[in-house]
Amino acid sequence: MGLDALAAACCVLPVLLALLAVRFAYVLWRSGQPSSRSPTAGLRCLIVLGSGGHTAEMMNIVTALQKDRFTPRYYVAALTDNMSLQKAQVYEQSLIQVESGEKIIKNAHFMQIYRSREIFCNGPGTCFPLCVCAFVLKVLGLGWSSIFYIESIARVKKLSLSGLLLYKLRIADQFYVQWPQLQQKYPRAYYAGRLM
């Protein structure tokens, strides 16, 4: 019986590896393509906040989003970062609508990580493992999240480590820089201009 199981494993393993390789190639090809989803449908969005200036930059980017399109929004920060989530909560509180005398909190979640369709990040170290996890889920066919990386405006001449890894490994679907010399140095990046 041991030889039969070994023979079956020898037959199944190459097929599984081939399927995984095909899926990996498909994900690399499909990443960066325009979305096939309806532009009017709400898109779940994961926003990665980091300490220091990363949160201020990301909150400036979030304020420019179409709130009705990128909804619900899930905010994630490291356990050691208490200030970032507070800033996001203050911002989301400012969006509360009052309907018939009752406050209605719309589409903001904090601290919990959900499977999201869109991930926006701008350079904190906490964004890299989340993006890798989203990419692995894509390869395995368990979920498809588009990753939008916006390099910090502080990065003028070279990318941050998170940005460099996401760029070189082709994990980010859309990669934006805020300085033209970075776009020249990294041709797959999109020059977005100053977003702050």
Side-chain angles (χ1 to χ4, degrees):
M1 194 181 243
L3 287 176
D4 291 340
L6 183 62
C10 288
C11 293
V12 171
L13 188 61
V15 172
L16 288 176
L17 290 175
L19 287 173
L20 190 60
V22 168
R23 179 68 184 179
F24 185 77
Y26 171 75
V27 167
L28 285 179
W29 171 79
R30 179 72 172 81
S31 295
Q33 301 275 332
S35 177
S36 59
R37 290 186 218 99
S38 166
T40 58
L43 300 170
R44 284 177 293 178
C45 179
L46 178 67
I47 300 164
V48 181
L49 302 175
S51 57
H54 293 293
T55 294
E57 265 187 48
M58 185 54 72
M59 293 312 298
N60 283 333
I61 292 167
V62 168
T63 59
L65 290 177
Q66 298 170 355
K67 307 303 176 291
D68 55 338
R69 183 158 183 234
F70 293 97
T71 183
R73 290 175 294 284
Y74 298 97
Y75 292 89
V76 177
L79 288 174
T80 56
D81 183 2
N82 298 325
M83 299 294 291
S84 295
L85 286 176
Q86 288 176 359
K87 290 178 183 178
Q89 288 171 334
V90 167
Y91 170 71
E92 289 292 338
Q93 286 288 332
S94 72
L95 299 177
I96 292 175
Q97 294 182 358
V98 177
E99 292 181 14
S100 58
E102 291 185 31
K103 289 183 178 180
I104 298 175
I105 298 175
K106 287 203 170 188
N107 305 313
H109 305 275
F110 305 92
M111 296 174 105
Q112 296 176 334
I113 299 174
Y114 291 90
R115 222 182 287 171
S116 297
R117 296 185 114 170
E118 316 304 322
I119 299 173
F120 292 89
C121 50
N122 69 331
T126 52
C127 81
F128 183 71
L130 292 172
C131 292
V132 168
C133 289
F135 185 79
V136 168
L137 288 173
K138 276 197 259 190
V139 170
L140 296 176
L142 299 175
W144 193 282
S145 294
S146 296
I147 301 168
F148 297 92
Y149 183 83
I150 303 111
E151 184 59 89
S152 172
I153 195 165
R155 293 302 183 150
V156 178
K157 295 182 180 178
K158 64 180 187 172
L159 299 177
S160 63
L161 180 59
S162 297
L164 187 64
L165 289 170
L166 292 173
Y167 182 87
K168 292 287 187 182
L169 297 174
R170 296 179 179 253
I171 290 175
D173 294 290
Q174 301 285 319
F175 194 98
Y176 296 94
V177 293
Q178 300 184 55
W179 295 98
Q181 59 268 33
L182 278 178
Q183 199 275 327
Q184 291 170 356
K185 193 172 180 182
Y186 301 96
R188 281 188 290 108
Y190 296 97
Y191 172 59
R194 288 182 46 197
L195 299 174
M196 293 199 48

